[in-house]
Amino acid sequence: MSRIRILSEHLSNQIAAGEVVERPASVVKELIENSIDAGANQVDVEIEGSGVRLMRVVDNGCGMIEDDVLLCLERHATSKIQEESQLGAIATLGFRGEALPSIGSVSRMTIISRDQEKESGTLVELRYGALHAVHEQGCSRGTVMEVRNLFGNVPARKKFLKSARTETYHVEEVVKNQAIAMPEVGFSLRVDERTVLDCPSGSDLETRLRYIFRYDGPLLSLEHSGAAATDSIQVGGYLLLPEAAPNRSARLRILVNGRAVQDRMIRNAVTEGLHGFLMKGYKPAGAVLLSISPELVDVNVHPAKREIRFRDHRQVYQLLKTVVKSAIQKHQEHARAQLFTPAQKSINENQERLSENLIMAEPAAKPFQRPLDSAIGIARVQNKHVVPDEQPPVMEKPTATERPEKVSEHVFSAPFFQHEPTAEKRDTEFAGLRLVGQLFSLYLLCEKGDRFIVIDQHAAHERILYGQMKRDYLKKDIPRQGLLFPVTVELGPDHMETMERYHDDLQSLGLEIDYFGETTWVIKSVPAVISVLDPISMLHDILDMLYESKGSRKQVVAGVIDDLLASMACKAAIKAGNVLSPQEMISLLQQMEESDVFSHCPHGRPVVKTFLQPEVEKWFHRHGG
């Protein structure tokens, strides 16, 4: 007698339920997708007892006639596809016809549906896979799906559910994901008779995203940065600023053709596009909406349809990376326009004020233009001024020899705080910014209109130096500092192999190292910006980074060199505790405006923080008074 048996339909449905119905959130996801496929523009979700006791999904879609209500309970019964060829270009959220019979086999499920052209609807009740009742029912157009006592007939499955709070959280995530994917559709969610989400229909994506993320700060728009998009692939969505504090809702949501998915490649592409702007420990947050021709993506690779596969994943990766980089660059230009008035306009305004000022006998000197020494963070003596090349001719000032070496309590001289528009006061204005002072020998304080602006001097200078060194490296023209006495260094086997492999790349970085014999190498010159560091320790650190890096030689060099340049810029930049003269601060502002990127240091920390006047007034409970 044969030992192989064909499973009963009821048992096979329960097995399928193990793949499709993982938790209450899985049920809500399948029911919402059916509502969207039915053309609904309003979907209301209600759960009780974390969804185990009750899940109800109500929509105003096309509804079903009685025959369709009964047929949808059969396995592999669907209206989404009819032919094998359609599997290669699935354009709907659902398509397998497994969800409803699987859900019905492990719960008490009720369906009430009315077709748009019918005067009454149909009610069907299913109890753990067995049809219990079918009759006509008065109802509004659309469909109501009720699922009660989930896993009531398989109590062992309940033991694998998490806490009520965790299961409720997963249901909320499902509704939020779909609400972002379909901003034109209204969504609501009630948990134990309490409304936790209410998104009206007809919203735009930005409004919907801000509501769900509870975020009112600036956004990086991917919708207007898709110049690299193709006819078959379009990118949309928004990202939170890289420095935005992450919260439970503010994570990266990936939606492909309206379907929420988990895709490591897309996540890596976004992260790579934000390289140099994300601080350590921070992850991208926002929503990436990818619209791609159905034939270029396979959604039938995961039982719960959480994962997908692209026909050309490299193209998608490069496109996303390019779009994210474009978005951050546009934000950079917007930040520049907000912070700095065009220099010519600022000069004209100063000249107009100057011509009206009858107090001054002579025109003001030009703002201090000498750029900061690229190695100022190392070479300068802390708490000492650098004497400017030019002094304003209208002020009586001590000479360089009379000027005290150390700054006392104040960074600025007394005329800086006078009401008269002296020449020195005009020298503290640049491109619409008025320099107020320096705080904690680290932050520059500026004023512009109704905004109070704080600038991290170390982070700003670090980004400027990094940009300069990156350009010099790409041109193979990093300034070198020859050592008066060349230094010999002994290398171990691992470092020897690494040195031989990356010797040319180290030369491009500004390190002139020659082979001396056996395990000995001679360091003859080092990058000028870090010339005061111990060359042997620096070389060992560089070789350790290269040795521990994984990937192809090209990838390793690109990643490690980038980190090395960032580290070199950090060591060479102005340090906390360096007291700057007003002219040096103006010079730093000028270099910020001229820099390609200034808003974040190479390690992702923000450079500028802006406070509006009402915010400052709230600190002192003034309320605009």
Side-chain angles (χ1 to χ4, degrees), residues 92-155:
T92 56
L93 298 178
F95 57 91
R96 291 177 182 155
E98 287 185 313
L100 292 183
S102 298
I103 296 169
S105 68
V106 292
S107 68
R108 296 176 58 180
M109 184 170 68
T110 302
I111 304 176
I112 305 174
S113 188
R114 175 185 168 190
D115 185 85
Q116 297 286 353
E117 298 179 357
K118 301 293 183 180
E119 295 298 326
S120 61
T122 303
L123 181 147
V124 172
E125 185 178 350
L126 201 67
R127 295 184 180 179
Y128 306 115
L131 189 61
H132 181 72
V134 180
H135 58 77
E136 189 175 0
Q137 174 86 17
C139 61
S140 59
R141 291 181 172 88
T143 302
V144 179
M145 303 290 298
E146 284 189 359
V147 178
R148 297 178 181 271
N149 196 18
L150 184 65
F151 301 135
N153 60 335
V154 281

Side-chain angles (χ1 to χ4, degrees), residues 228-333:
T230 64
D231 293 336
S232 58
I233 307 176
Q234 297 291 328
V235 180
Y238 295 89
L239 297 177
L240 276 62
L241 289 185
E243 66 269 22
N247 56 58
R248 201 169 83 168
S249 293
R251 59 180 184 83
L252 186 63
R253 301 171 190 267
I254 303 170
L255 302 122
V256 179
N257 292 345
R259 186 190 309 277
V261 298
Q262 300 170 1
D263 192 278
R264 183 178 299 176
M265 181 272 293
I266 293 179
R267 192 176 303 276
N268 289 343
V270 175
T271 303
E272 186 63 24
L274 292 174
H275 180 72
F277 293 89
L278 276 175
M279 288 186 288
K280 186 176 181 180
Y282 278 59
K283 296 181 180 179
V288 176
L289 277 63
L290 204 62
S291 178
I292 183 169
S293 298
E295 63 271 12
L296 299 180
V297 59
D298 186 1
V299 300
N300 192 23
V301 296
H302 190 277
K305 297 173 287 187
R306 286 196 298 264
E307 298 176 6
I308 57 176
R309 185 175 299 150
F310 296 100
R311 179 176 295 180
D312 188 350
H313 65 276
R314 291 185 181 86
Q315 180 189 16
V316 176
Y317 180 89
Q318 290 298 330
L319 174 61
L320 279 172
K321 181 179 173 181
T322 302
V323 168
V324 173
K325 283 188 173 182
S326 176
I328 196 73
Q329 186 61 40
K330 288 187 176 181
H331 169 70
Q332 182 75 28
E333 296 305 320

Side-chain angles (χ1 to χ4, degrees), residues 417-433:
F417 301 100
Q418 291 180 353
H419 294 290
E420 291 82 9
T422 63
E424 187 162 346
K425 183 172 182 178
R426 284 195 305 278
D427 279 351
T428 61
E429 294 185 2
F430 174 76
L433 283 175

Side-chain angles (χ1 to χ4, degrees), residues 55-67:
M55 288 174 282
R56 180 184 293 117
V57 177
V58 182
D59 68 62
N60 61 352
C62 63
M64 295 180 285
I65 61 175
E66 181 177 341
D67 289 345

Side-chain angles (χ1 to χ4, degrees), residues 577-593:
N578 286 136
V579 179
L580 304 183
S581 68
Q583 291 86 355
E584 289 176 314
M585 299 182 203
I586 294 297
S587 179
L588 183 60
L589 294 176
Q590 180 180 3
Q591 292 182 63
M592 285 175 61
E593 191 211 16

